[in-house]
Amino acid sequence: MVKENSTTSFFYSFQLNMKNLLLFFLIASCTGEKKYIRQESQKDLETNSLKSEVQFKDLNLFSDCKEYDNHLSSIISSMEFVKVAYDPPLDDFWKIYSVEVGAEYIFISTIYKIYMYDNRGNFIRSIGTRGQGPKEFIQLSNIQMDEQSRKLYTLDVRRERMMVYDFEGNLLQVIPLKFSERFHASQLSLLDSTTILFRRSNLDGLSNISFICSDSDGKEKKIFHHHIAPVNRNSTEFLSPDYSFLWDSRQYFNYLEYGNDTVFGIRNDSIIPELKLTGDLKGFFKRHSGKKLNILSYVTRPDAAIFESDTMMVFKMSSEFESYYKVYNKYNNKFHRTNYKNAEEDRFGARQMAYFVDDMATGLRFNPHFQSKGKAIALIYAGEICGKREEILDFIDKHPTETGKNLRPVIENFTEDDNCLMMIVKFK
């Protein structure tokens, strides 16, 4: 990961080698299934930044792009549609925090309830009870599903505790989150069956804790601090931990700290810098940034800004003038973006181009707000389906596919009272 400067003294090299040798024996001596994540301290990083040069790939993301491609077919390998049952009705769209899609079941979480469906969208049960009793919650955060153990993890952010349910809706554990440093968890991410990452909340202000790694029983294993790589922050006017992005790359989890320029791979025993994001339009949320670009997501859905597969990375970009998706192809090192001549404008005059067009089955817009198990997910609500019914049916007729054929009766019978149509894709 690092290349030592030639001016490093013999004694420093000897000390560093002994440290690495000791670390090797410590890692090699670990037994059992639990995977521990190691990270250098801030002091170590500051020292290394003066004495060494980090070697990783530059990705010219924050630059202008003139290659346009709006077609969903250009970037996905598979697509499916699931009509979510309308009884019971879901809460308002903006109250949906997360969606988990598995082989058998689909879970949708709101602030106050978790809805469970089979993989065809049929309602099975609601999970959890709102209240202030021992087994109740006040405000749920996102959910994470472990299909192997058939467990569902979530946070009661108001009471600072993790709640674990089985797939039958039974509450198995209520685990108070008591970490060694001041830390209010806002979201959790299940790395594997024994390791959970808790992201901190804005309640912590601008403290330097980014997230905490624990085992599945909530016991602290490692603390990850902000500023985990040297970066010039002179152009950053404010920071928000809720915009620190964590996503599944199908190989392991990747992490981008808000205001940083480095993408890290989170692996079994370390955080490894992999990509340095460059470009002359890099903005990182300066308040009057003009054409400066930022990676943007919703505060309640920080995992909806960056999607990754074996072949590509998809970024949701934004400036004061426009928002769009930018796609990076790992094989040919080229970018393209979404762009529409007659794009709608938001109330600030920014052109809204952050969506792809399904050019295969429906002609609908695809703007993913969730991701789960390597899949990107968009919820298309009844109003949009009913308002564009004739256009959708016409597209299905003119572009005959098996998917469209199966979807046609669903579109025909959609009503304003229905919940939504779930669109699930896998990137190439």
Side-chain angles (χ1 to χ4, degrees):
M1 180 175 71
V2 293
K3 178 181 178 182
E4 289 191 1
N5 191 292
S6 60
T7 59
T8 307
S9 67
F10 168 81
F11 294 105
Y12 176 80
S13 299
F14 175 79
Q15 183 182 26
L16 185 60
N17 288 334
M18 290 300 293
K19 178 181 177 181
N20 289 338
L21 184 62
L22 177 60
L23 179 62
F24 171 81
F25 282 115
L26 285 173
I27 294 174
S29 65
C30 291
T31 59
E33 297 182 354
K34 295 186 177 180
K35 300 176 181 180
Y36 291 84
I37 294 178
R38 172 182 57 82
Q39 184 201 11
E40 293 175 288
S41 68
Q42 173 64 16
K43 184 176 181 180
D44 289 336
L45 286 169
E46 290 173 351
T47 301
N48 287 341
S49 69
L50 297 175
K51 296 179 177 293
S52 60
E53 181 181 348
V54 179
Q55 300 291 332
F56 50 97
K57 182 178 179 180
D58 284 1
L59 187 64
N60 189 24
L61 177 67
F62 298 103
S63 59
D64 200 10
C65 180
K66 299 297 184 182
E67 296 295 323
Y68 305 138
D69 189 344
N70 303 324
H71 300 123
L72 192 59
S73 61
S74 300
I75 60 173
I76 68 169
S77 60
S78 68
M79 173 177 60
E80 60 181 308
F81 293 88
V82 177
K83 181 183 178 183
V84 179
Y86 66 87
D87 188 15
L90 286 168
D91 288 340
D92 181 79
F93 173 74
W94 298 107
K95 295 179 182 177
I96 296 177
Y97 276 11
S98 62
V99 177
E100 283 284 273
V101 176
E104 296 181 75
Y105 303 112
I106 296 171
F107 295 91
I108 298 177
S109 72
T110 67
I111 301 175
Y112 305 127
K113 192 171 290 185
I114 301 171
Y115 299 89
M116 181 179 182
Y117 305 86
D118 65 20
N119 58 11
R120 300 185 66 180
N122 299 308
F123 177 73
I124 298 176
R125 65 174 60 90
S126 61
I127 297 176
T129 303
R130 188 185 179 199
Q132 300 189 42
K135 294 184 178 182
E136 298 173 331
F137 60 83
I138 298 178
Q139 179 181 331
L140 291 180
S141 179
N142 69 314
I143 52 175
Q144 292 282 276
M145 170 177 53
D146 185 350
E147 290 186 276
Q148 184 176 359
S149 65
R150 298 178 67 83
K151 290 181 180 180
L152 195 68
Y153 296 83
T154 188
L155 290 176
D156 184 347
V157 293
R158 296 285 294 277
R159 300 177 77 174
E160 296 187 74
R161 59 186 192 173
M162 179 169 64
M163 306 179 78
V164 186
Y165 297 90
D166 62 23
F167 281 12
E168 283 67 48
N170 302 308
L171 181 61
L172 302 179
Q173 290 177 285
V174 177
I175 303 170
L177 300 178
K178 297 180 179 179
F179 300 119
S180 62
E181 297 195 34
R182 181 174 177 267
F183 186 93
H184 298 281
S186 65
Q187 286 202 330
L188 58 82
S189 296
L190 188 66
L191 299 189
D192 56 45
S193 59
T194 63
T195 308
I196 297 175
L197 288 182
F198 293 95
R199 256 174 286 190
R200 74 178 180 89
S201 164
N202 270 328
L203 294 174
D204 291 325
L206 294 180
S207 64
N208 65 351
I209 303 173
S210 180
F211 51 79
I212 284 181
C213 172
S214 82
D215 61 22
S216 56
D217 289 325
K219 295 179 181 178
E220 179 184 312
K221 291 163 67 173
K222 184 65 63 176
I223 297 175
F224 295 89
H225 293 269
H226 272 297
H227 315 309
I228 53 182
V231 61
N232 181 1
R233 295 174 179 273
N234 294 332
S235 62
T236 304
E237 294 190 3
F238 62 96
L239 299 176
S240 170
D242 288 329
Y243 279 111
S244 290
F245 309 118
L246 185 72
W247 67 96
D248 188 349
S249 68
R250 294 194 189 178
Q251 298 174 333
Y252 43 83
F253 276 78
N254 282 345
Y255 171 66
L256 174 64
E257 179 191 359
Y258 177 92
N260 210 323
D261 60 357
T262 306
V263 173
F264 294 85
I266 300 179
R267 309 200 188 182
N268 294 343
D269 63 346
S270 61
I271 288 186
I272 301 173
E274 296 191 334
L275 295 173
K276 183 178 180 181
L277 305 181
T278 62
D280 58 344
L281 297 178
K282 184 165 64 175
F284 286 131
F285 288 89
K286 288 193 68 176
R287 284 191 177 88
H288 301 288
S289 58
K291 291 185 178 180
K292 294 291 184 180
L293 289 172
N294 303 290
I295 301 172
L296 182 64
S297 182
Y298 304 102
V299 173
T300 56
R301 299 167 192 160
D303 297 333
I306 305 173
F307 303 84
E308 185 172 1
S309 67
D310 295 335
T311 305
M312 62 187 59
M313 300 181 73
V314 180
F315 299 87
K316 188 173 185 180
M317 311 299 296
S318 177
S319 72
E320 288 185 351
F321 299 103
E322 59 183 355
S323 65
Y324 57 87
Y325 279 103
K326 192 170 186 179
V327 179
Y328 170 66
N329 189 310
K330 296 179 182 179
Y331 288 155
N332 60 23
N333 294 319
K334 293 182 178 180
F335 287 97
H336 73 260
R337 54 159 286 184
T338 55
N339 185 66
Y340 302 92
K341 293 181 179 179
N342 300 317
E344 300 170 0
E345 295 184 356
D346 64 14
R347 59 193 180 98
F348 302 106
R351 302 176 68 211
Q352 300 302 296
M353 298 181 286
Y355 61 91
F356 300 93
V357 174
D358 170 21
D359 57 317
M360 298 174 290
T362 66
L364 285 166
R365 296 181 179 186
F366 179 71
N367 180 9
H369 290 102
F370 310 94
Q371 60 178 301
S372 171
K373 309 295 185 293
K375 299 176 180 179
I377 305 159
L379 302 183
I380 305 168
Y381 278 78
E384 182 176 353
I385 299 293
C386 295
K388 298 181 178 179
R389 191 194 315 272
E390 296 307 318
E391 293 179 38
I392 299 170
L393 294 176
D394 184 60
F395 189 95
I396 290 174
D397 292 339
K398 291 180 178 178
H399 304 79
T401 62
E402 191 66 25
T403 299
K405 178 182 176 181
N406 295 332
L407 193 61
R408 199 180 206 287
V410 174
I411 300 299
E412 289 176 334
N413 294 297
F414 234 93
T415 71
E416 293 282 355
D417 295 327
D418 283 332
N419 274 327
C420 63
L421 184 67
M422 185 177 294
M423 190 173 180
I424 307 167
V425 310
K426 273 190 174 182
F427 294 114
K428 292 179 179 178

